[in-house]
Amino acid sequence: MNTAGRTAQTGNHGLDLIPFRGVRYVPERIGSLAAVTSPPYDVVVRPDGLLHLESADPYNIVRLILPQATEPDARNAQAASTLHRWLTEGVLAPDPEPALYVYEQRNGDMLQRGIIGALHLSEAAEGIVLPHEGVMPHVVEDRAGVMRATEANLEPLLLTYRGNGEATGATAVIERTVQSPPLLSTTTEDGYSHRLWALTDPSDVGRIHDDLAARQALIADGHHRWATYLRLRTEHTAPTPSPWDYGLVLLVDTARYPLRVRAIHRLLNRLPLDRALAMIDGSFRVREIAGPLPHAMDALAEAAARGNAFLLAGAGSSDTYHLLDRPDPALLARTIRTDRPEPWRTLDATVLHATLLGHVWRIPEDSPADVAYIHDTEATVDKARRDDGTAVLMHPVREDVVRELAQQGVTMPRKSTSFGPKPATGLVLRTLTDD
């Protein structure tokens, strides 16, 4: 296990980020970098998005993060076999020496820069890496199976920290590095350009490490992968640090590079829209909103500024939507737990899960057959209309609310937020056998 860049001090009370030997696609063996990348595993909208990515290139990374087989063991074995074959054939290859990686994403006026590295999963991580959402055990089990079989971190999770907004410490190294030619550069079909640089100079690595050693981080995206890292770490105990004591992350200073926060929508697979509306039965105000979808989302934003609000769509609604707002206060008092702070109790996600799903619609939130979580607004509506389900569209939460609750140790309902832009999967991997 490489420990270059680590301080010798004990009792470190911040982030411990170290270099690793990144595994990357060999350009001569693939059609293009854009064709082999993918969004994170949970953003790929099945089955359409999965088939699109699989057909983009025979070596698309989706074959590793979302292997297709009937049984979990077969899926995991398939991912491991594919990774081994690509490494053996030279489609993927480890970099010659350990590095931290500066990563940049840009689309119009949206610019994000951060550092990709291996983060120590120490016992002190509690209170240093702050989750803000709960996780679903079956998803953690699924991710653990893939990571265990491949012995790899196939995609970085996204962590944010708050610097001073100035080009100092790690940020100074980043902004000097991006003036040099990148290790790789590509533009994906969503319009985002991606550039990557390798940092191997000990002084740069040390400066970044020392800056981050005083920071705490918020998990912006990747709660299930974080929980998986911690689970696999407990399975691989050793007297000295092992590769399983570290996890692949992207760290972004949001004081310098603010992220966008979007909502994650719900698709109620087995609840038709007409039945969902009938079951409301006065517990919320219901209004029809004419399309198109951007107009209806504007109406949702306006209503959400005044209180809890949701936008429903489904079969038979054509280009019409149904806006739910003004929930019955007595119903909220009966259905929402009182042992949480007010910002948590008034979250749209809290009201959705505790009041609408748990009481009005009586749908188990932890059942994948009943509730799907989809990032793309149009895809959620299309699937609901095509499959006779109900799309529940959400308005995003402000980042300061997320951070405030996380610092209090209060987790939000699962899939409450979508921070972005998310790192593209496939630009750099971490195999635990090459560290």
Side-chain angles (χ1 to χ4, degrees):
M1 180 71 203
N2 174 69
T3 57
R6 292 190 63 183
T7 59
Q9 67 183 0
T10 58
N12 178 36
H13 295 296
L15 301 166
D16 183 7
L17 191 74
I18 68 167
F20 68 102
R21 286 186 74 192
V23 173
R24 299 185 295 109
Y25 281 98
V26 177
E28 295 77 14
R29 296 300 312 275
I30 58 174
S32 71
L33 271 174
V36 296
T37 61
S38 164
Y41 78 96
D42 58 337
V43 181
V44 177
V45 181
R46 301 189 192 198
D48 300 343
L50 181 63
L51 296 175
H52 173 72
L53 291 166
E54 285 185 331
S55 63
D57 190 283
Y59 299 118
N60 189 282
I61 194 70
V62 78
R63 288 179 167 81
L64 298 182
I65 62 172
L66 289 173
Q68 295 303 292
T70 305
E71 298 297 326
D73 288 347
R75 290 197 296 270
N76 300 335
Q78 180 178 313
S81 174
T82 301
L83 177 59
H84 176 75
R85 185 173 72 253
W86 290 358
L87 287 166
T88 301
E89 295 175 353
V91 175
L92 291 169
D95 282 338
E97 58 182 318
L100 296 176
Y101 295 85
V102 172
Y103 177 47
E104 176 190 276
Q105 292 170 274
R106 186 190 294 266
N107 188 356
D109 61 355
M110 181 67 197
L111 174 64
Q112 175 177 286
R113 290 175 178 151
I115 298 286
I116 296 176
L119 184 68
H120 193 212
L121 311 174
S122 65
E123 297 295 345
E126 184 176 354
I128 296 174
V129 176
L130 305 174
H132 69 268
E133 293 181 355
V135 297
M136 293 174 276
H138 74 278
V139 177
V140 175
E141 176 61 31
D142 176 73
R143 290 298 92 192
V146 174
M147 286 190 205
R148 196 183 290 116
T150 59
E151 297 184 291
N153 299 154
L154 301 173
E155 47 189 340
L157 54 86
L158 175 60
L159 304 182
T160 73
Y161 68 97
R162 300 288 292 180
N164 59 15
E166 304 295 328
T168 58
T171 302
V173 177
I174 290 172
E175 297 196 356
R176 174 168 44 80
T177 300
V178 299
Q179 303 306 313
S180 61
L183 192 65
L184 63 83
S185 178
T186 190
T187 300
T188 46
E189 65 179 4
D190 59 4
Y192 275 90
S193 66
H194 307 261
R195 298 197 296 170
L196 194 75
W197 294 260
L199 285 176
T200 57
D201 183 270
S203 63
D204 286 338
V205 171
R207 189 173 180 183
I208 289 171
H209 184 276
D210 291 346
D211 184 12
L212 296 177
R215 311 285 184 189
Q216 67 175 189
L218 175 73
I219 300 178
D221 184 70
H223 284 81
H224 290 92
R225 279 165 283 167
W226 177 254
T228 302
Y229 288 169
L230 298 181
R231 173 173 175 171
L232 294 178
R233 177 177 177 266
T234 63
E235 295 178 6
H236 296 82
T237 56
T240 59
S242 81
W244 297 97
D245 291 315
Y246 295 78
L248 187 63
V249 304
L250 166 63
L251 273 160
V252 174
D253 177 1
T254 53
R256 189 75 173 178
Y257 302 108
L259 300 183
R260 291 174 177 163
V261 187
R262 293 188 169 94
I264 301 176
H265 309 297
R266 274 63 168 164
L267 175 62
L268 311 183
N269 295 305
R270 300 197 282 202
L271 181 66
L273 176 63
D274 56 354
R275 186 173 168 215
L277 292 170
M279 295 174 75
I280 296 295
D281 192 27
S283 56
F284 285 72
R285 181 175 70 167
V286 180
R287 290 179 288 159
E288 285 194 4
I289 304 294
L293 181 55
H295 173 263
M297 292 300 290
D298 287 343
L300 173 61
E302 183 179 345
R306 298 188 297 268
N308 300 119
F310 310 92
L311 194 67
L312 306 189
S317 63
S318 183
D319 204 25
T320 300
Y321 301 83
H322 293 80
L323 181 64
L324 274 58
D325 66 356
R326 298 186 183 179
D328 176 8
L331 176 62
L332 297 182
R334 292 198 310 272
T335 55
I336 296 177
R337 54 192 298 178
T338 59
D339 61 344
R340 297 291 178 92
E342 184 68 12
W344 183 91
R345 300 182 71 245
T346 55
L347 288 169
D348 286 338
T350 299
V351 173
L352 171 62
H353 285 256
T355 305
L356 278 170
L357 291 180
H359 181 82
V360 175
W361 292 326
R362 300 191 179 282
I363 293 176
E365 62 174 334
D366 57 354
S367 167
D370 290 287
V371 184
Y373 298 83
I374 304 178
H375 293 73
D376 186 84
T377 307
E378 289 188 10
T380 311
V381 173
D382 290 345
K383 283 180 171 290
R385 288 176 173 162
R386 183 172 64 244
D387 301 336
D388 196 22
T390 296
V392 183
L393 306 182
M394 311 277 287
H395 185 70
V397 185
R398 300 192 319 274
E399 181 182 355
D400 60 331
V401 173
V402 177
R403 192 174 295 275
E404 176 190 349
L405 288 172
Q407 289 173 337
Q408 295 179 50
V410 178
T411 56
M412 300 166 64
R414 62 192 59 165
K415 299 293 185 181
S416 294
T417 61
S418 175
F419 284 83
K422 304 178 189 304
T425 298
L427 297 181
V428 60
L429 290 63
R430 174 179 175 254
T431 56
L432 279 66
T433 53
D434 279 311
D435 266 17

